[in-house]
Amino acid sequence: MSEAIRILNVVGLMSPGGIETLIMNIYRNIDREKVQFDFLTHKGIDGKFDDEIRKLGGRIYKMPQIRNGNKTYYWKFLEYKKALKAFFKEHPEYHVIHGHMTNTASLYMPIAKKYGNVTCCIAHSHLTQARPGLAGFITDIHKKIPKVATDYFACSEMAAHWIFPDKDIMNGNVKIIKNGVDPKRFYFNKEKRDDIREKFNLQNKIVIGNVARFKTEKNHNFQIDIFDELHKINSDSVLMLVGTGELVDEIKKKVQQKGLEDSVLFLGSRSDVQDLMLAMDVFLLPSLYEGLPVVGIEAQAAGLPVVTSTGVTTETDITGNVVFLDLALGAKAWAKRILEIYGTFERKDMFTYIHENGYDITETAKWIQEFYLKKHFQNI
């Protein structure tokens, strides 16, 4: 049997997040005797998924860190480019790279082509606007991705229009890769739900949930404002926050200032998100912007109603259970709408909806595996 081809994924850090969860979902479901994943990371530290990646046969390489949170170490760009040149000279085995980082794609893709054997550079748009700070500014001025990439992916139409020229979208050159999930993992089980709610002492509580990194675009400040208003109306309510990030201490401080410590759960990074979603009643996602949030698909797969912002693409709604609200309505209006939904929503199994709408990860993995194989062999 021939050895598996190796695909190099260019990422920030392989820890739980929307993009990283999608990559891992695909990785777990591809035929790893045919296609293997390796990772070029950019945070200089170990990620939560690293152990699993190595167990699955993947390799992890670290580049010099040029960004931390919203800060970009622009004076390290020369060091970064030097490290990239050395890496691709030393690793001629890579013919296909999958770029999940758009803000520096115009740096690493030309270097990969010039100094390595890379013939396929996939630029994958996961967002609908630039991140805050200098990194976002660099992304905007470096919108040369169509010139340096050979193939264009996007998680949604909105994400495609943000980074790729309209002519390429119109010509079908941009492929929409649906952020698939494993619907079997999120199958609603009332007995398990009751067990989890008992474990966290959530009996007879309204549980509002969110799973996201604590970053500016996830809008945790507004989440606390919404929950504060909701809690004033119904004190038998709990906010369950899953995730870590640079803003977590700031949000914890705000919770204390509002006297909500006993009603807000900070659960950190978890590997049992599917179980925690069983315990939730409404999923809250008031992001400033999103490409197409994997977690929104997961929440729907778990049978949850999702209340999200108009900054999130309407393509997220694949079950009819997503409500889009303008952030300008304010926290009190959001709180009232959430309680209205909670009072009328009937939870049920969503497996068929997820599968029939093309968000079953097995289908996504099958398509992308064949794409990699075709690109690898046609250019060597």
Side-chain angles (χ1 to χ4, degrees):
M1 183 179 295
S2 60
E3 187 177 349
I5 68 167
R6 306 198 77 92
I7 305 300
L8 186 67
N9 288 274
V10 184
V11 296
L13 180 71
M14 286 307 294
S15 284
I19 297 170
E20 297 78 10
T21 296
L22 172 66
I23 297 169
M24 290 304 297
N25 283 344
I26 294 170
Y27 191 21
R28 295 172 186 128
N29 285 276
I30 60 172
D31 183 346
R32 291 184 297 280
E33 291 187 355
K34 294 181 178 178
V35 176
Q36 258 295 347
F37 278 8
D38 295 333
F39 298 85
L40 194 65
T41 66
H42 288 70
K43 293 294 179 70
I45 57 175
D46 294 336
K48 297 285 186 182
F49 288 131
D50 287 5
D51 287 344
E52 182 183 358
I53 288 169
R54 293 188 177 103
K55 285 178 182 176
L56 293 175
R59 304 165 184 164
I60 302 166
Y61 305 97
K62 296 175 184 176
M63 285 288 104
Q65 184 183 23
I66 57 173
R67 187 167 181 259
N68 184 17
N70 293 333
K71 296 179 180 179
T72 300
Y73 309 132
Y74 53 88
W75 60 89
K76 291 188 176 182
F77 274 21
L78 289 178
E79 177 189 352
Y80 174 58
K81 292 178 72 172
K82 184 178 179 181
L84 283 172
K85 292 175 184 178
F87 175 83
F88 285 106
K89 284 180 180 178
E90 292 169 9
H91 293 279
E93 68 269 28
Y94 297 114
H95 297 280
V96 179
I97 65 171
H98 194 149
H100 301 277
M101 295 173 60
T102 54
N103 55 319
T104 54
S106 60
L107 295 175
Y108 63 76
M109 286 187 179
I111 289 173
K113 290 179 181 178
K114 183 175 180 179
Y115 294 93
N117 283 336
V118 174
T119 53
C120 173
C121 291
I122 303 166
H124 198 147
S125 177
H126 294 278
L127 300 174
T128 56
Q129 66 181 69
R131 298 186 188 278
L134 184 58
F137 175 71
I138 291 170
T139 300
D140 285 337
I141 66 172
H142 277 92
K143 280 195 177 178
K144 301 174 183 176
I145 291 174
K147 298 178 182 178
V148 297
T150 60
D151 296 272
Y152 317 139
F153 288 1
C155 64
S156 67
E157 292 288 343
M158 190 184 296
H161 281 285
W162 171 58
I163 203 76
F164 301 120
D166 289 342
K167 64 179 179 65
D168 284 309
I169 298 170
M170 294 285 290
N171 293 338
N173 293 333
V174 181
K175 297 172 178 64
I176 303 300
I177 308 301
K178 293 185 176 181
N179 287 353
V181 301
D182 182 353
K184 295 187 294 295
R185 291 179 64 231
F186 294 89
Y187 191 87
F188 182 67
N189 183 311
K190 188 178 185 306
E191 184 176 331
K192 185 180 284 189
R193 167 182 163 86
D194 292 341
D195 289 344
I196 297 165
R197 286 173 71 93
E198 183 177 354
K199 176 182 176 181
F200 287 98
N201 196 25
L202 299 173
Q203 302 95 321
N204 303 313
K205 299 286 188 181
I206 302 172
V207 181
I208 312 302
N210 173 268
V211 181
R213 285 184 183 162
F214 284 73
K215 301 193 296 184
T216 302
E217 59 264 35
K218 301 301 181 180
N219 211 5
H220 282 86
N221 263 305
F222 189 54
Q223 288 183 49
I224 302 305
D225 290 338
I226 294 169
F227 182 69
D228 185 34
E229 294 293 342
L230 189 151
H231 198 260
K232 289 174 185 175
I233 301 170
N234 191 322
S235 59
D236 287 328
S237 54
V238 171
L239 179 61
M240 181 183 285
L241 298 176
V242 182
T244 59
E246 58 263 24
L247 299 179
V248 66
D249 290 337
E250 177 184 316
I251 299 303
K252 285 182 177 179
K253 184 177 180 181
K254 181 169 183 173
V255 167
Q256 291 171 352
Q257 290 171 343
K258 289 184 174 291
L260 294 169
E261 304 98 307
D262 295 335
S263 299
V264 179
L265 303 178
F266 290 88
L267 300 185
S269 180
R270 305 279 297 213
S271 60
D272 60 345
V273 168
Q274 68 277 9
D275 294 337
L276 297 175
M277 283 186 173
L278 291 178
M280 299 173 187
D281 295 303
V282 179
F283 195 82
L284 177 61
L285 193 69
S287 303
L288 299 177
Y289 56 89
E290 295 268 5
L292 193 149
V294 175
V295 73
I297 306 301
E298 291 177 338
Q300 290 175 81
L304 285 167
V306 177
V307 181
T308 190
S309 74
T310 51
V312 175
T313 175
T314 56
E315 295 164 76
T316 302
D317 186 7
I318 61 174
T319 62
N321 293 335
V322 181
V323 174
F324 297 88
L325 299 178
D326 194 321
L327 294 172
L329 290 173
K332 186 175 290 187
W334 275 65
K336 289 181 177 178
R337 188 72 179 99
I338 289 169
L339 288 173
E340 288 172 4
I341 292 166
Y342 168 77
T344 59
F345 188 79
E346 181 181 350
R347 196 163 183 173
K348 57 185 178 180
D349 172 47
M350 290 287 119
F351 179 89
T352 302
Y353 285 84
I354 301 298
H355 184 76
E356 291 183 352
N357 280 279
Y359 283 88
D360 189 324
I361 191 60
T362 57
E363 298 301 316
T364 306
K366 187 186 301 182
W367 184 91
I368 207 165
Q369 174 179 305
E370 292 307 311
F371 182 89
Y372 288 148
L373 289 167
K374 177 182 177 182
K375 287 293 180 177
H376 176 87
F377 288 113
Q378 76 178 14
N379 292 309
I380 62 173

